[in-house]
Amino acid sequence: MQPSLKQLALAGVVLATLTACGGSNNSNSLLPLPAPTASNPPAPAPAPALAVPGTVDVKLIAFNDLHGNLEPPKLTISAPAKGGGTVAVPAGGAAYMASAIAALKEKNPNNAVVSAGDMIGASPLVSALFLDESTIEAVNAMKIDFNAVGNHEFDKGQTELLRMKNGGCAKNTALEPCRVNKNFPGANFGFLSANTVKTDGNTLFPATGMKSFTKDGATVKVAFIGMTLKGTPNIVTPAGVAGLSFKDEADTANALIPQLKAQGADAVVVVIHEGGTTTVGYNDKSCTGLSGDILPILNKLDAAVDVVISGHTHRSYVCDYGKTNPAKPFLLTSAGQYGTLLTDINLTIDTRTRKVTAKAADNVIVQGEGYTSGATTYAVTDQYPVFGKNQQVAALISQYLTIAGPLVQRVVGQLTATATRTQTSSRESVMGNLIADAQLAATKAADKGAAQIAFMNPGGVRADLAPASDGSVTYGQIFAVQPFGNSLVVKTMTGAQIRAVLEQQFNSGANTTAAPRVLLPSAGFTYTYNLAQPAGSRITNMALNGTAMADATSYRVTMNSFLATGGDNFTVFNQGTNTLGGDQDVDALEAYIKAGSPLAPPATDRITNATPP
């Protein structure tokens, strides 16, 4: 039964006296008062009633794929200029990002801040060198609510990921934990992953989060479903996700929605580490050219979902998906990468129908400071807001940089030219070949594995290696190239197994002829591929140092620990025998550059693409 006008009036007086009115992030339930009886004396003239609003506005602030970019990443956003054309706006930096989040929060006290995954992993040195503890601490200071776990959160395995959430200094990797903060606290925000399930049937992290918002006596609830892309086992070290299964994203979310509605959810937000791409600008609402792996998920999702906050593709977009599929009227967003953008999402929730009646979003550029790249300077522009530094976050980053500084700046050797990760027509890259050569050199000795061939996965090559004017390269640069902290592994494999691994470049899991993942080989190993041939017959002319390789002959092959357990769908590597562990990958690269200085980057002539045009 609805309370009478008299009850509402009395309730308004009590509520105004006890709690004051206005927005609040807390749940303030209004207790019903007893109905008056005939023996009650006449009530005094009612005071002005506290009108329960018909709607409550809620602000969501979202980011994704931060990847530990605490310092400004020296990137610009191409944004519309006031006089026409575009302007390059320098963006990013965690201290500026924290201020931008605070500025958006000030516009509506009823807010929630969420991350759509890959907050950590594949990070620059100031984060990766410290096992991403610095990033967790910086985000703690931003006071966010939830992070939907991405694939890169699993780079160092689920045990280390649990430490990121729960804190402590247990040593789960080759790197030492807690080198700066001896009492690493872990995350003060929720990790969510509804579709990451353990063998006992429970999720590794909570599936959902709920947040209540109150305005003038009316309370609404927003539910968040966190999701890791189901393809995670194919793109992280298999050992790190052993015992976990990654369920279908849409099926998982759809099964949770009735439960969330039963718990009073008025709006449902899916925060998912999967995404798409568009062919328009960072804040263009037309969403022209939307494509990618997020689409089949959207088309299966229950229409009760109001917003899908996505990531993984490092692209930025704001899409009314209902224009693409009228049966699925979702608001779809993504904030690009590296903290360069925040998505400002505004929902209006009707307090009677308990439904979202309006929703809109904008991608906001996190502009903080300019930078110089080569001969070009990108200055801040007054055409877009400029955010100041959050001093708490800035001080935290400075503390970690001070400790990392001597290591970052240490010169490891010289290169005669830049080694890029740009792919050639054969899908080789100079940087990938250089890494393979370094790993072969590190494992060639008999006591190191007696390696004859080395392979590097292209996804592990994270940056170009550009020498300074005197040819020097620093440890910080090579760490940026290989930030994962993988170790080297040598295995015995037959020629037939090596051929089978190379066939998996084009026909294994997400590795297809349309989207091949071509391994980078060490010097002396050559082969040809032809994508026009049927699966299993695409690899020919395999040779080692000019001699044709025989299927039955055994060879010693080096790979990193990610590939060694079948990473990137190269499961045949699991068949190797006589395994011997080796050095850290970044140490091998450092030793190779130092020994060869000044080192000329290698040619890209090891693979021949014989596919007809």
Side-chain angles (χ1 to χ4, degrees):
M1 177 181 295
Q2 296 293 321
S4 68
L5 179 63
K6 187 181 296 183
Q7 287 175 300
L8 287 174
L10 183 56
V13 173
V14 173
L15 187 62
T17 303
L18 295 179
T19 66
C21 61
S24 168
N25 285 332
N26 298 319
S27 297
N28 296 322
S29 298
L30 185 62
L31 297 177
L33 300 176
T37 64
S39 60
N40 286 343
L50 178 64
V52 176
T55 61
V56 174
D57 293 330
V58 175
K59 182 181 291 292
L60 309 179
I61 305 163
F63 62 94
N64 52 274
D65 297 278
L66 179 61
H67 285 288
N69 277 263
L70 301 181
E71 296 182 278
K74 295 189 175 181
L75 294 173
T76 60
I77 301 297
S78 180
K82 290 180 179 177
T86 60
V87 59
V89 185
Y96 302 112
M97 180 180 166
S99 293
I101 288 173
L104 289 173
K105 284 183 175 183
E106 286 178 1
K107 294 182 177 182
N108 186 347
N110 286 329
N111 60 69
V113 186
V114 298
S115 160
D118 280 8
M119 178 184 292
I120 58 175
S123 309
L125 188 144
V126 71
S127 186
L129 188 64
F130 304 104
L131 292 167
D132 290 314
E133 294 168 358
S134 51
T135 294
I136 295 296
E137 291 192 65
V139 177
N140 280 349
M142 297 177 192
K143 297 180 173 61
I144 80 165
D145 295 282
F146 304 111
N147 174 52
V149 175
N151 55 286
H152 277 289
E153 268 91 348
F154 286 96
D155 281 345
K156 295 179 177 65
Q158 57 186 291
T159 304
E160 178 66 1
L161 178 54
L162 288 166
R163 187 180 76 87
M164 289 293 99
K165 176 64 186 80
N166 300 324
C169 298
K171 190 175 187 297
N172 303 313
T173 74
L175 292 176
E176 289 296 326
C178 301
R179 293 171 63 187
V180 176
N181 187 347
K182 303 303 180 185
N183 297 295
F184 173 62
N188 63 10
F189 47 90
F191 279 21
L192 304 179
S193 188
N195 63 327
T196 304
V197 180
K198 300 184 292 185
T199 53
D200 63 3
N202 294 315
T203 55
L204 182 66
F205 293 106
T208 64
M210 186 90 77
K211 194 166 183 182
S212 298
F213 305 98
T214 298
K215 178 184 178 183
D216 297 337
T219 297
V220 297
K221 293 182 178 182
V222 178
F224 299 88
I225 302 173
M227 209 83 67
T228 307
L229 74 163
K230 68 179 179 182
T232 293
N234 297 325
I235 51 178
V236 302
T237 303
V241 293
L244 299 176
S245 57
F246 293 79
K247 305 299 185 181
D248 182 85
E249 301 98 336
D251 290 346
T252 300
N254 291 345
L256 288 166
I257 289 171
Q259 303 172 35
L260 295 171
K261 290 292 187 180
Q263 294 167 26
D266 303 302
V268 176
V269 179
V270 171
V271 188
I272 181 170
H273 192 71
E274 183 59 279
T277 63
T278 65
T279 56
V280 290
Y282 76 100
N283 200 36
D284 186 306
K285 307 299 169 46
S286 70
C287 211
T288 302
L290 178 64
S291 63
D293 292 337
I294 193 71
L295 267 65
I297 299 171
L298 297 175
N299 291 331
K300 285 176 62 180
L301 271 180
D302 192 313
V305 172
D306 297 289
V307 182
V308 177
I309 296 170
S310 63
H312 188 55
T313 57
H314 292 210
R315 302 298 183 93
S316 52
Y317 42 80
V318 175
C319 301
D320 176 0
Y321 193 67
K323 294 179 179 178
T324 300
N325 182 348
K328 308 292 182 179
F330 313 130
L331 178 62
L332 171 68
T333 70
S334 178
Q337 61 179 348
Y338 304 161
T340 56
L341 296 165
L342 294 171
T343 308
D344 178 15
I345 304 167
N346 294 286
L347 307 179
T348 299
I349 301 174
D350 189 298
T351 58
R352 290 172 287 270
T353 65
R354 318 307 298 185
K355 292 183 181 297
V356 174
T357 56
K359 48 193 172 184
D362 284 289
N363 275 326
V364 176
I365 302 173
V366 180
Q367 181 179 210
E369 66 182 54
Y371 68 93
T372 298
S373 178
T376 305
T377 296
Y378 299 95
V380 296
T381 172
D382 61 4
Q383 297 192 42
Y384 287 86
V386 180
F387 299 96
K389 278 187 177 181
N390 175 292
Q391 293 304 313
Q392 179 185 356
V393 176
L396 174 77
I397 297 169
S398 179
Q399 180 184 19
Y400 277 92
L401 282 172
T402 297
I403 294 174
L407 186 57
V408 171
Q409 299 302 327
R410 179 169 58 82
V411 173
V412 300
Q414 281 130 354
L415 288 182
T416 61
T418 297
T420 75
R421 52 181 181 158
T422 303
Q423 289 189 341
T424 66
S425 59
S426 67
R427 294 183 172 85
E428 289 179 78
S429 73
V430 174
M431 191 67 241
N433 286 1
L434 176 58
I435 292 171
D437 290 348
Q439 296 185 353
L440 178 62
T443 53
K444 219 169 191 176
D447 62 341
K448 292 286 189 177
Q452 299 164 277
I453 304 167
F455 291 112
M456 178 61 191
N457 57 303
V461 186
R462 304 301 293 190
D464 297 342
L465 191 55
S469 58
D470 63 354
S472 62
V473 293
T474 65
Y475 185 82
Q477 287 178 287
I478 66 170
F479 198 99
V481 172
Q482 292 190 277
F484 294 107
N486 289 318
S487 59
L488 304 186
V489 177
V490 186
K491 295 186 179 187
T492 297
M493 300 181 71
T494 65
Q497 289 172 329
I498 294 171
R499 187 188 307 277
V501 160
L502 297 178
E503 289 283 351
Q504 287 190 308
Q505 297 174 128
F506 317 110
N507 186 37
S508 181
N511 307 343
T512 65
T513 55
R517 188 176 274 119
V518 174
L519 297 169
L520 294 317
S522 55
F525 176 76
T526 59
Y527 72 95
T528 298
Y529 69 81
N530 184 341
L531 299 184
Q533 296 300 312
S537 303
R538 296 180 175 127
I539 303 299
T540 58
N541 303 325
M542 286 198 325
L544 180 60
N545 300 320
T547 301
M549 296 173 64
D551 283 355
T553 300
S554 293
Y555 303 88
R556 293 289 281 167
V557 181
T558 300
M559 64 220 71
N560 58 39
S561 50
F562 169 72
L563 288 175
T565 51
D568 275 349
N569 308 297
F570 291 105
T571 57
V572 176
F573 278 127
N574 286 317
Q575 300 174 14
T577 59
N578 301 320
T579 301
L580 180 66
D583 299 331
Q584 292 286 294
D585 53 7
V586 71
D587 294 339
L589 183 58
E590 176 182 1
Y592 186 70
I593 293 172
K594 181 178 180 180
S597 290
L599 180 69
T604 49
D605 57 0
R606 302 167 187 181
I607 304 173
T608 300
N609 181 357
T611 307

